Amino acid sequence: MTLTETTTDTARDDDTFLDSLCGRLRPGAVIVDPTALRTYECDGLTGFRVTPSAVVLADTTEEVRQAVLTCREFGVPYVARGAGTGLSGGALPTSDGIVISLQRMRAILEIDPRNLRAVVEPGVTNIDITKAAAPFGLHFAPDPSSQQVCTVGGNVAENSGGAHCLKYGFTVHHVLELEVVLADGSVVRLGGVNREQPGYDLLAAFVGSEGTLGIVTQVVVRLVRNPATVHTLCADFPSITAASEAVTRIIAAGIVPAAIEMMDALAIEASEAAVGAGYSLDTAAALIVENDGPAAESKVEFEAVEQICRDTGTTKIRIAKDSAERAMIWRGRKAAFAAVGRISPDYIVQDGVVPRTRLSEILSRIGEKAAESGLRVANVFHAGDGNLHPLVLYSEAEGQLEQAEELSREIAELCVEMSGSLSGEHGIGTDKACSMPRMFTESDLAAMWRLRRAFDPEELCNPGKLLPTPRLCGEKPGVYVPHALEVSGDIERF
Amino acid sequence: MWEPDNAREVAECLRDAAQEHRALNIVGAGTAQYWGGDIRASTTLRIHKLDSVLRYEPGDMTIQVEAGMAVADLQSVVADHGQRLALDAARIDRGATVGGMLATADQGPAQLAFGGPRDLVIGATLVLSDGEIARSGGHVIKNVAGYDLARLVSGSLGTLAAITDLTFRLHPIPAATGTLSIETGIDEAVTYAEAIAETALEPVAAEWISGRLLIRFEGTRSGVHERLDAAAHITGVGTSILDDDEATQAWAQQAAVSSRNGHSAQDTTTLHGLARPSDVSSIVHAAERSCLEHGAVPTIGAGLLTGRVDLRIDAATLSAHAATVDQWRQDIESHDGTVTLRDRPEGLTDLIDAWGEPPSAVAALRAVKAAYDPGDLLGPGRFHPWF
Ligand SMILES: Cc1cc2nc3c(=O)[nH]c(=O)nc-3n(C[C@H](O)[C@H](O)[C@H](O)COP(=O)(O)OP(=O)(O)OC[C@H]3O[C@@H](n4cnc5c(N)ncnc54)[C@H](O)[C@@H]3O)c2cc1C
Ligand SMILES: Cc1cc2nc3c(=O)[nH]c(=O)nc-3n(C[C@H](O)[C@H](O)[C@H](O)COP(=O)(O)OP(=O)(O)OC[C@H]3O[C@@H](n4cnc5c(N)ncnc54)[C@H](O)[C@@H]3O)c2cc1C
């Protein structure tokens, strides 16, 4: 679907608004040139495009504040933007609104190895935090595949995860404090010097709020000590079912690897074409498992993982001999997403979650659905978390877009039916707002609206994201599908 | 006292209360009833009858239980499958409920490795002040769909909504656990703990309790032994590796600091201080100084790598309690930290506030409170003087 908005009100107050905005900010901070604005018309979900009326390139918290205050005065919506790698249309602008870009605020203000923390501006890339911490033997644990480019502000907004989040947790577990510009223009700090703080945990509620509760202008992140040892293997399996069984057994054995990732044959084919990391081309599925930690523990666990892989019928195990080989295995995994472009003209990335015991069930259902629709689906995902990333391959030129979107949406909703979630890490954004009623009832959503309005009563801060609205989804946006337990009468909803 | 049997009845209670403008004090097991400010509520809403397991999936390592279930009961259910909720707050032995745990955001020494209750909760059902039921999160360990209301009620002390059920992520019970102990002052204790952490030995807890350092490791039997030895090498002469009974006793002593024994200790106040880990030793010294000055007897427990300092003071007079709290609070606040008043003798809050400097986001806290409980019927007074 391509969403093209028409400006409702004509030029009306635009000029006074823009004059006012320019007047309050340093020269050159406001972009209005139509060609330059096109850079900001979409994020990583390129099917949704809207050109904003202006972009503010903020250098300081004060500039963000001035931009927010001006928007408030004129009733103009705004959306924060980091690197624009988001995959749910979270940073999609509105045509009558502006984009506030944080990408120029990229200073690393402090590394405090003693307290295991770093103070950074929101536009710092994820990988740059780890690079700055490396001399101290520390790193920033959340490691999205997009870590070379995505910003920590975006990570906070999306509560981003990554391959190693199975053991280390998500962004919410690694943020201590935020400086935020709220919708009323006030600058506040959420969280504090300690992970625990008195009062409602506004910090933790803010993380993952997709830019709808305020704009992050500074982040204090936790740094994690690099593990003493790391073991990585890549195991081939004759079927996705066998690989899924291995995942289930690893979890059931009480092992918490740093990462368990799965790639199917199509994903491997794409990745190999792109980076040639040495994955087997003749296997149905491969698991990448990494164990880290103190030497004795990680060795014992790694051997147990190896044994489980053998018991579940692995056909080949490749163990990384050194850090170079380990890096190569990961390169193949992290490149797989983008590499799919090599085997298909277009693709949609889906991001549903299922309980880990239901992996093989959902994967075979996805296979069936794909066969029905005549489209191919590649799978490369965080198996240990049950977080799927089915990539629906299609050709827009051959008119398959709608079919692909339909299949992708069905997959996400199937995850919900299986007691899972619509999104594990990419967020709801614009993309899935209208599917929210599949997962939540009207009263659940009403309770979420209370939070949103408490922070932003005028709904100017990234409107139209995360929560369904009649304008976006129609009056009756969808039907709540009761949970299996409700159907069986084990729990009630009333 | 209202004692509903299930979530539906909780909703009815809240609806009735809203209609009658009746203020409610939500109680789980009642182990933390005095934390924060004094409540002005005539009716107690006890959640303790909501105590069943709704859904347990050992293979997924997740469990959904009603909010009134005792954490200790939950632990024994999941222990049969070699699993645990990785929480070891002091109040658990006294029957603290899972709802009370999240509402107090209380955490024990294992916070170092696993975080607090909000880091382990993956789903929640809340009943709002008008009786509306709201769920957030779900049954999977990774989930970013919608706002996470479970995290919002973390630390809410019964003032935002009634929690009726929670879903948790579980962890495996480790094959072995080992504790190292050494009698030492706070300054050396901090140095040792930092040195042990720096060598990637991955302690799961590092606590100092009035003159004694305890470091806990978890893992395989041989691995834990290796790391205990390596850590003992750092702490040097005088270090002992505790056997199981000694360790149990030592950790019980740690728990006793932040948890007064019984309800009637009228001359005891417990305080919960939070600061940067690097400020712990100076905050411990400040606590000792304040107590000395005002004739109070301190018992101190400090999470060395987490920045938590629990102070229990025993003193003869109410004014000595108040003066000690006041002075220590000023000290911690000068280090950007906070102090929360927990258990205390009756009347103490007439002399000092339960809460110190409001955070910069206090207006947002108030706005959230107003959005969820516009009639101020849930735990009114708990966050006085912030709101
Ligand atoms: C190839 C590829 C691989 C990816 N892999 C992963 C992965 O493994 N795990 C994962 O979790 N995600 C992944 N993503 C998704 C994406 O990279 C993350 O969501 C990332 O955190 C977005 O950061 P960003 O700076 O690009 O944010 P943007 O796309 O610019 O914005 C994302 C959202 O955050 C908000 N936002 C941005 N900055 C701020 C701020 N300072 N204050 C408030 N709100 C703000 C925006 O309004 C928007 O709603 C991947 C994306 C791509 C393209
Ligand atoms: C079996 C038993 C029976 C008892 N009977 C009595 C008695 O009859 N009368 C009496 O006075 N004392 C009684 N006590 C003692 C009293 O229970 C304790 O002092 C107190 O109940 C501690 O409960 P908690 O540890 O679960 O958290 P609580 O101390 O109950 O709660 C801590 C904080 O969390 C909030 N909270 C707790 N649960 C929820 C929830 N589900 N949703 C939202 N907020 C919540 C509370 O409002 C409070 O602010 C009893 C104790 C036990 C163990």
Side-chain angles (χ1 to χ4, degrees), chain A residues 95-275:
Chain A
S95 60
D96 57 342
I98 66 163
V99 170
I100 300 177
S101 167
L102 286 308
Q103 236 185 342
R104 288 167 58 105
M105 293 177 65
R106 52 171 79 218
I108 293 178
L109 301 171
E110 187 190 347
I111 301 278
D112 176 357
R114 187 160 177 217
N115 287 306
L116 301 176
R117 60 195 63 188
V119 184
V120 302
E121 289 188 334
V124 171
T125 61
N126 175 293
I127 196 75
D128 278 347
I129 302 178
T130 285
K131 281 185 184 159
F136 305 97
L138 304 171
H139 68 282
F140 180 49
D143 60 340
S145 302
S146 53
Q147 67 188 144
Q148 306 286 342
V149 272
C150 68
T151 67
V152 66
N155 295 168
V156 166
E158 301 288 6
N159 188 18
S160 297
H164 292 82
C165 287
L166 175 58
K167 176 169 174 185
Y168 292 99
F170 315 105
T171 301
V172 68
H173 302 117
H174 296 277
V175 174
L176 284 165
E177 198 174 1
L178 295 173
E179 179 186 78
V180 178
V181 177
L182 297 179
D184 65 359
S186 61
V187 179
V188 303
R189 296 190 79 88
L190 306 179
V193 295
N194 194 287
R195 264 174 107 172
E196 195 193 336
Q197 284 298 302
Y200 313 148
D201 201 331
L202 296 184
L203 171 79
F206 189 98
V207 176
S209 63
E210 304 190 11
T212 62
L213 301 182
I215 300 187
V216 178
T217 49
Q218 193 188 88
V219 188
V220 184
V221 297
R222 291 174 63 214
L223 299 175
V224 172
R225 178 99 31 216
N226 297 344
T229 57
V230 184
H231 298 279
T232 310
L233 65 70
C234 175
D236 294 350
F237 286 87
S239 67
I240 286 190
T241 313
S244 304
E245 177 61 22
V247 175
T248 304
R249 288 214 213 162
I250 291 168
I251 303 289
I255 299 169
V256 186
I260 310 180
E261 303 280 304
M262 200 191 297
M263 287 164 80
D264 70 4
L266 265 183
I268 291 172
E269 181 192 332
S271 165
E272 281 301 304
V275 297

Side-chain angles (χ1 to χ4, degrees), chain B residues 1 3 25-35 39 46-48 67-68 91 94-101 103-104 156-159 161-164 263 382:
Chain B
M1 191 192 307
E3 297 187 289
N25 178 21
I26 303 174
V27 173
T31 59
Q33 277 307 291
Y34 301 98
W35 295 14
I39 289 196
R46 293 205 62 187
I47 303 290
H48 69 137
R91 300 181 293 125
R94 287 160 51 221
T97 61
V98 297
M101 231 49 213
T104 53
S156 62
L157 293 172
T159 66
I163 305 161
T164 55
H263 311 277
R382 190 59 99 196

Side-chain angles (χ1 to χ4, degrees), chain A residues 7 208 391:
Chain A
T7 319
L391 299 148

Side-chain angles (χ1 to χ4, degrees), chain B residues 78-163:
Chain B
V78 301
D80 290 343
H81 295 270
Q83 299 176 0
R84 62 171 167 169
L85 177 64
L87 258 186
D88 59 353
R91 300 181 293 125
I92 291 172
D93 285 348
R94 287 160 51 221
T97 61
V98 297
M101 231 49 213
L102 182 66
T104 53
D106 191 18
Q107 30 214 303
Q111 180 207 15
L112 178 61
F114 298 98
R118 64 104 155 151
D119 297 313
L120 301 169
V121 172
I122 56 174
T125 304
L126 311 177
V127 179
L128 305 191
S129 61
D130 54 6
E132 279 287 308
I133 312 259
R135 285 214 178 113
S136 81
H139 292 277
V140 284
I141 63 170
K142 192 173 186 185
N143 187 353
V144 297
Y147 298 128
D148 196 324
L149 302 180
R151 294 191 214 131
L152 188 67
V153 295
S154 168
S156 62
L157 293 172
T159 66
L160 216 49
I163 305 161

Side-chain angles (χ1 to χ4, degrees), chain B residues 165-347:
Chain B
D165 70 64
L166 292 171
T167 308
F168 293 97
R169 171 183 191 172
L170 301 170
H171 284 83
I173 294 177
T177 300
T179 299
L180 163 160
S181 158
I182 179 168
E183 306 282 328
T184 178
I186 182 68
D187 298 338
E188 294 91 335
V190 168
T191 309
Y192 291 148
E194 287 180 350
I196 288 166
E198 227 168 88
T199 46
L201 291 174
E202 297 191 12
V204 292
E207 298 276 325
W208 180 84
I209 309 104
S210 292
R212 184 186 200 188
L213 170 67
L214 295 176
I215 306 261
R216 184 157 85 210
F217 295 99
E218 291 178 357
T220 61
R221 201 156 290 281
S222 64
V224 165
H225 267 286
E226 261 175 44
R227 285 186 283 148
L228 282 168
D229 288 343
H233 195 70
I234 291 170
T235 51
V237 184
T239 304
S240 53
I241 291 169
L242 305 183
D243 67 28
D244 287 352
D245 286 346
E246 290 168 339
T248 307
Q249 232 179 352
W251 289 108
Q253 191 199 347
Q254 185 279 331
V257 179
S258 55
S259 155
R260 76 181 179 187
N261 296 320
H263 311 277
S264 56
Q266 265 311 314
D267 45 8
T268 300
T269 295
T270 58
L271 298 164
H272 186 62
L274 297 166
R276 285 184 195 87
S278 61
D279 290 330
V280 163
S281 63
S282 95
I283 281 164
V284 166
H285 291 307
E288 289 167 340
R289 236 179 6 251
S290 315
C291 286
L292 190 67
E293 241 167 75
H294 303 288
V297 180
T299 312
I300 301 172
L304 300 181
L305 302 171
T306 53
R308 190 193 77 250
V309 180
D310 286 306
L311 169 62
R312 198 179 84 206
I313 54 180
D314 293 283
T317 67
L318 211 51
S319 59
H321 282 260
T324 311
V325 174
D326 201 37
Q327 186 175 336
W328 194 47
R329 179 179 277 156
Q330 282 180 30
D331 226 300
I332 294 195
E333 285 178 353
S334 75
H335 288 93
D336 310 320
T338 59
V339 174
T340 306
L341 184 58
R342 291 188 163 179
D343 297 314
R344 68 305 184 107
E346 205 144 331

